Amino acid sequence: GHKSRNRPPEGYKKITLHFVYAVKHDGRHKSRIVAGGHLTDAPVESVYSGVVSLRGVRFTVFLAELNDLQVYQTDVGNAYLEAKTKEKVYVIAGPEFQQLEGHILVIYKALYGLKSSGLRWYERFADVLRDMGFTPCPAEPEIWMRACNADGTVIKDGISKSVPLDDKKSFFDPPERVDDGSYYEYIAVYCDDLTIASKDPKGSITDILEKKYHFKLKGTGPLNYLLGCDYYREGKVLCAAPKRYIEKMETTYMQLFGEKPSQKMRSPLEKGDNPELDTTDFLDEKNTKIYQSMVGAAQWIISLGRFDIAVHVMSLSSFRSQPRKGHLERMKRVYGYLSKIKHAAIRFRTDMPDVSDQVFLDYDWSNSPYAGAREELPKNLPTARGKPVLMTSFVDANLMHDMLSGKSVTGVLHFFNKTPIDWFTKKQNTVETATFGSENNAARKAVEQIKANKLTLMQLGVPLQGAPILL
């Protein structure tokens, strides 16, 4: 009722509302009413809600291509408003509410701006996915999966649940593996953006989300653009390339410097360049912020798949707190390189590589401390379904990469079958005086990542082709 005749409910706090206006990347104009969450008390409970990693998105797309599934994308419109808030807040309606002006309005939806709205939407959508038969992957919780028969029907209880501690199954038993045409469907959740891998994503998932759960879905269709990365096909091969994001970087560059990035360079940095030895003047505050922004954009594009600039940007990011003029010129060169080679792409090639020409040593461990060692595996691994994956990783180290600190650099590139799926580059924590030490450090880091990727694949129900290969 009106504030002159009624009082707000006991225990509720008054907040304000404001409008946020936006122009979407496709030209649509949008306004959204946002709650003044800064006026509410800090929540006692955790309000964390996770999103799928870019690595998890690549896993999902790769597994869809591997098992001949369709890859769809969709966006849940006004997702937070699909959930109800637990925060006790109210507002006094302003003139924009017309005949309700001056009324006390209790907020019961999880409005954008409230501190707990992200978690409330996460809980709401998780309940929906569980109701549809999906289960979160323990190794990548924002990838949801469910088992299906060859004809597309859902296998009830097709994914292992938690196993009691007194179960007779050994930690050394590999997961069960079937070859009956069954497979897993996956949904990778990034807040309200869904990446769906299914034989019939429209009929078995998106239509149900709209008709049964009354979600308003937008942009539903084959995957073409997600989180700054373009997806397209060359023949039958799916490709991922952040072309539009590079174009956006070019536009930003022109706004900052009044010219296009130079496309004369064929490499991100000159061969043998050592940015740490630069002695040019320090940048002023304005250009320091420009440098930091350019480094941040370059780091994101590496995450999207342009690992060809990873080592160079890693080196330049060391100077973000106090860059020099020479460092800014080097970042301009990196932008010019990206502008020149903007169409470089990751190709999801899922056929099994031929490693028959590789010679692997058969070492006798019986007289070593590792005699009889076996790999421990989780007891709750799901049944392996679908086509197998061979994991291959390449690792290298650059001794004395940093001439001032003497630190080496680790570089790792992981493949699933013939697809580059994950990458890593970083200065090592210790200073090594010989190649043996730096290579050993790099190999240790690669093995840690291989173990993580292997566990993730096994938790996603993927059969593995032999042991991972490290080169």
Side-chain angles (χ1 to χ4, degrees):
H2 197 275
K3 63 180 181 179
S4 63
R5 299 185 298 273
N6 296 273
R7 292 185 176 181
E10 187 175 350
Y12 279 68
K13 186 168 186 176
K14 179 183 175 181
I15 64 171
T16 58
L17 300 175
H18 58 275
F19 280 93
V20 173
Y21 301 94
V23 179
K24 311 298 283 188
H25 63 83
D26 58 2
R28 291 181 294 119
H29 289 64
K30 184 172 184 178
S31 65
R32 172 178 287 141
I33 197 165
V34 177
H38 63 290
L39 299 174
T40 63
D41 297 329
V44 178
E45 63 171 352
S46 170
V47 293
Y48 172 79
S49 59
V51 295
V52 68
S53 65
L54 291 175
R55 164 180 167 269
V57 171
R58 290 191 294 270
F59 278 32
T60 303
V61 174
F62 172 83
L63 294 176
E65 292 295 291
L66 177 71
N67 293 306
D68 301 317
L69 308 179
Q70 295 186 62
V71 189
Y72 260 44
Q73 66 182 59
T74 191
D75 177 18
V76 182
N78 297 319
Y80 282 13
L81 302 184
E82 298 290 346
K84 296 179 180 179
T85 186
K86 294 182 180 179
E87 298 186 46
K88 295 182 178 181
V89 290
Y90 73 95
V91 298
I92 303 298
E96 62 273 11
F97 287 91
Q98 297 179 359
Q99 66 269 23
L100 290 178
E101 182 179 0
H103 281 63
I104 297 172
L105 304 181
V106 174
I107 296 175
Y108 78 100
K109 289 286 189 177
L111 285 186
Y112 289 86
L114 294 178
K115 292 184 174 74
S116 64
S117 292
L119 177 60
R120 298 287 90 85
W121 159 245
Y122 176 87
E123 293 171 339
R124 162 77 170 129
F125 195 61
D127 289 341
V128 168
L129 291 177
R130 289 191 181 94
D131 191 52
M132 293 174 65
F134 283 90
T135 301
C137 169
E140 183 75 54
E142 302 319 313
I143 298 180
W144 294 71
M145 53 192 288
R146 70 179 178 187
C148 295
N149 292 306
D151 60 1
T153 57
V154 177
I155 301 175
K156 188 176 181 181
D157 298 327
I159 298 179
S160 305
K161 307 299 181 183
S162 297
V163 180
L165 291 177
D166 59 353
D167 189 88
K168 295 182 180 179
K169 182 178 179 180
S170 169
F171 282 107
F172 304 108
D173 291 341
E176 179 186 358
R177 182 171 175 175
V178 296
D179 190 16
D180 57 2
S182 60
Y183 60 95
Y184 289 103
E185 292 180 323
Y186 302 100
I187 299 180
V189 183
Y190 194 100
C191 192
D192 56 358
D193 290 313
L194 312 181
T195 306
I196 303 169
S198 170
K199 283 191 175 179
D200 182 17
K202 187 176 188 300
S204 65
I205 296 177
T206 59
D207 282 354
I208 294 175
L209 290 175
E210 288 183 311
K211 295 175 181 178
K212 182 177 179 180
Y213 301 101
H214 309 294
F215 289 143
K216 300 177 182 65
L217 302 184
K218 302 178 295 183
T220 304
L223 180 64
N224 64 78
Y225 184 79
L226 180 68
L227 302 175
C229 191
D230 299 276
Y231 293 84
Y232 58 95
R233 291 193 181 273
E234 290 185 352
K236 295 183 178 180
V237 179
L238 181 65
C239 303
K243 292 185 292 185
R244 268 185 276 185
Y245 194 85
I246 294 177
E247 291 170 356
K248 181 180 177 182
M249 292 171 67
E250 289 177 321
T251 302
T252 302
Y253 187 100
M254 291 179 62
Q255 292 172 347
L256 291 173
F257 304 110
E259 60 182 3
K260 293 183 177 179
S262 173
Q263 298 190 2
K264 297 179 181 179
M265 311 305 177
R266 302 184 63 180
S267 63
L269 293 180
E270 292 184 12
K271 184 178 180 180
D273 188 16
N274 295 102
E276 68 276 10
L277 301 181
D278 190 289
T279 57
T280 56
D281 293 338
F282 290 115
L283 294 176
D284 57 24
E285 183 178 355
K286 176 184 176 182
N287 283 304
T288 295
K289 291 181 178 179
I290 290 174
Y291 181 83
Q292 293 169 341
S293 176
M294 293 175 72
V295 170
Q299 289 175 325
W300 181 252
I301 211 165
I302 293 168
S303 300
L304 294 177
R306 291 302 300 266
F307 51 82
D308 53 327
I309 65 170
V311 174
H312 315 86
V313 174
M314 179 274 300
S315 299
L316 293 172
S317 67
S318 302
F319 313 105
R320 280 177 298 181
S321 60
Q322 194 171 37
R324 296 178 182 271
K325 292 182 178 179
H327 300 144
L328 180 58
E329 292 304 312
R330 289 175 173 88
M331 273 309 306
K332 289 181 178 181
R333 177 181 174 123
V334 171
Y335 270 54
Y337 169 80
L338 289 172
S339 179
K340 180 181 179 67
I341 310 178
K342 68 176 67 174
H343 300 290
I346 290 178
R347 289 164 173 79
F348 289 87
R349 300 186 299 162
T350 59
D351 47 315
M352 189 65 64
D354 182 8
V355 295
S356 58
D357 59 338
Q358 297 290 330
V359 179
F360 302 103
L361 296 178
D362 187 11
Y363 188 81
D364 182 9
W365 298 96
S366 60
N367 294 319
S368 76
Y370 304 104
R374 292 188 292 171
E375 181 181 16
E376 289 190 15
L377 300 171
K379 288 187 176 184
N380 64 339
L381 291 175
T383 300
R385 309 176 190 273
K387 297 177 183 178
V389 171
L390 174 65
M391 298 175 60
T392 308
S393 299
F394 298 86
V395 62
D396 200 4
N398 183 23
L399 183 67
M400 291 287 292
H401 177 87
D402 190 311
M403 300 294 289
L404 290 182
S405 67
K407 289 186 176 181
S408 306
V409 160
T410 295
V412 189
L413 182 59
H414 302 283
F415 279 75
F416 289 173
N417 292 355
K418 294 182 179 180
T419 303
I421 205 75
D422 198 18
W423 40 89
F424 174 85
T425 181
K426 187 181 179 182
K427 286 182 185 177
Q428 296 180 359
N429 294 328
T430 58
V431 176
E432 303 295 335
T433 57
T435 301
F436 173 82
S438 62
E439 296 280 359
N440 187 64
N441 274 346
R444 176 186 57 79
K445 177 60 71 173
V447 169
E448 291 174 354
Q449 295 173 2
I450 290 170
K451 290 169 65 177
N453 288 338
K454 179 181 178 181
L455 178 61
T456 302
L457 283 180
M458 297 178 77
Q459 291 285 14
L460 288 169
V462 179
L464 300 179
Q465 181 75 21
I469 299 172
L470 178 61
L471 300 172

